[in-house]
Amino acid sequence: MMASSLMETVELRNGTWMPLLGLGTFKAEEGGQVEQAIKWALEMGYRSIDTASIYGNEAGVGKALAESGVPRDEIFLTTKLWNDDQGYDATMRAFDASLERLGTAYVDLYLVHWPVRDKIQETWQAMNAIHRSGRAKAIGVSNFLEEHLTELLNGSGITPMVNQIEFHPRLQQPGLIEFCEGRRIVVEAWSPLMRGEVLTIPELVQIGEKHGKSAAQVTLRWQIQRGIVTIPKTVNQDRLASNAAIFDFELTEEEMGAINALDQDQRTGPDPKTFGYS
Ligand SMILES: NC(=O)c1ccc[n+]([C@@H]2O[C@H](COP(=O)([O-])OP(=O)(O)OC[C@H]3O[C@@H](n4cnc5c(N)ncnc54)[C@H](OP(=O)(O)O)[C@@H]3O)[C@@H](O)[C@H]2O)c1
């Protein structure tokens, strides 16, 4: 694996840079499991880690980063504000608690995990104060649909740098992607592998066979080739390596089009129209 390829980045609207490929940690167990996964990942050249307060593993993430010997400024660390902590003061307190658990003076990206009705503006003001303080190098949102982004922009005039959304071949949300790209909001894919289900999609398997790659690798390659940040989760050493081996081949325009055509508007996770927003 070429370590330098894992350093491929996308520029955020505030001029900071974010790796196109990172490691997800949802359901990576606090303690030995998440720590081991992160240490392996960093040894392989991963430099971006995605966690959230609700995952319950921020302490393990922080411990692994500290023990890895990789300088903090070479790592892109993301965490998220949970729904129950929205509101101005609660956001401030939750952010302090995340920093404490992570054992770091700053995060590279702090995200509002879900839109929460009537709390968005207050929360976003707090996120901006945190950004101005330098303790989050960048701020953004997650699971925001066009309607939520429009509300946020109309209320604050401040555009998030990232929107982390469910995105994979079966859920592509073209309208939302266009909306984000038009405003220089970087799109980041969660459940990029459909939690492993992409392996069963015949078209992806067939494209993979042409390149000597798996359906998972084809999917991740399609995402980064579209300029979409992707954060597949695994705690398995072999899958960590194979998920990162996506920088040594290129999908043709025809193959990209064939994957774009697999969209069925099929969610595996909650719908932001209702979850936390009803
Ligand atoms: N913002 C949000 O609301 C939100 C929601 C969900 C997720 N996320 C973030 O996005 C990350 C990724 O999403 P996700 O964890 O839901 O799903 P995912 O990355 O699509 O899939 C992870 C699942 O697939 C397995 N897997 C990983 N690589 C594989 C491969 N090459 N072949 C076969 N199976 C493979 C993993 O098992 P093993 O570990 O056993 O390999 C795990 O069960 C999360 O970890 C989290 O950081 C954010």
Side-chain angles (χ1 to χ4, degrees):
M1 185 192 317
M2 289 157 55
S4 61
S5 302
L6 270 157
M7 299 302 291
E8 274 190 31
T9 51
V10 60
E11 188 179 9
L12 305 184
R13 52 182 295 121
N14 66 337
T16 58
W17 296 81
M18 178 176 192
L20 272 168
L21 177 72
L23 176 66
T25 66
F26 180 43
K27 295 192 176 161
E29 286 166 26
E30 174 64 308
Q33 190 180 69
V34 76
E35 289 167 29
Q36 181 62 79
I38 289 177
K39 285 180 190 168
W40 280 329
L42 293 173
E43 280 165 21
M44 291 176 195
Y46 283 79
R47 286 295 178 269
S48 172
I49 309 291
D50 180 87
T51 183
S53 61
I54 195 71
Y55 301 169
N57 60 16
E58 287 177 312
V61 169
K63 185 163 180 269
L65 293 180
E67 289 176 0
S68 71
V70 178
R72 174 67 186 87
D73 63 2
E74 288 180 17
I75 291 164
F76 191 98
L77 177 60
T78 301
T79 195
K80 313 184 194 83
L81 173 78
W82 187 240
N83 302 355
D84 296 344
D85 294 321
Q86 287 210 23
Y88 193 95
D89 293 338
T91 297
M92 291 301 197
R93 282 193 298 273
F95 181 69
D96 286 343
S98 278
L99 281 191
E100 178 84 26
R101 284 188 294 270
L102 289 163
T104 184
Y106 68 94
V107 295
D108 296 277
L109 178 62
Y110 195 42
L111 298 176
V112 181
H113 209 142
W114 289 88
V116 171
R117 188 180 288 282
D118 300 331
K119 295 265 181 86
I120 287 181
Q121 299 302 342
E122 245 192 88
T123 300
W124 193 233
Q125 290 308 321
M127 299 288 288
N128 277 284
I130 290 166
H131 180 231
R132 283 193 305 271
S133 78
R135 294 180 305 151
K137 305 282 181 206
I139 51 170
V141 295
S142 177
N143 300 303
F144 273 48
L145 302 173
E146 281 175 61
E147 65 218 53
H148 306 124
L149 289 167
T150 302
E151 189 184 330
L152 191 73
L153 292 169
N154 289 347
S156 68
I158 302 168
T159 308
M161 294 153 202
V162 172
N163 188 15
Q164 185 185 109
I165 56 171
E166 182 178 347
F167 180 86
H168 45 66
R170 292 292 193 219
L171 180 72
Q172 299 189 25
Q173 311 190 69
L176 177 57
I177 303 285
E178 199 183 322
F179 184 95
C180 289
E181 289 179 348
R183 286 157 185 80
R184 288 200 61 208
I185 301 170
V186 166
V187 176
E188 181 176 18
W190 67 253
S191 288
L193 299 175
M194 253 183 121
R195 303 195 164 138
E197 273 184 60
V198 293
L199 297 182
T200 65
I201 300 177
E203 290 88 342
L204 296 174
V205 175
Q206 281 155 20
I207 292 171
E209 279 165 1
K210 288 191 207 145
H211 295 277
K213 295 286 177 182
S214 69
Q217 290 167 320
V218 167
T219 302
L220 298 172
R221 177 72 211 180
W222 164 73
Q223 285 153 355
I224 62 163
Q225 229 171 281
R226 285 187 53 166
I228 292 177
V229 172
T230 186
I231 46 168
K233 174 265 175 184
T234 181
V235 292
N236 173 285
Q237 195 171 13
D238 292 338
R239 289 193 283 278
L240 276 168
S242 72
N243 289 349
I246 57 169
F247 297 96
D248 56 357
F249 76 112
E250 198 164 345
L251 297 167
T252 64
E253 233 172 87
E254 196 189 348
E255 289 166 338
M256 292 293 289
I259 304 172
N260 292 342
L262 295 174
D263 190 12
Q264 293 181 349
D265 203 25
Q266 183 189 333
R267 287 185 187 280
T268 63
D271 190 336
K273 272 201 170 70
T274 48
F275 186 75
Y277 204 73
S278 50

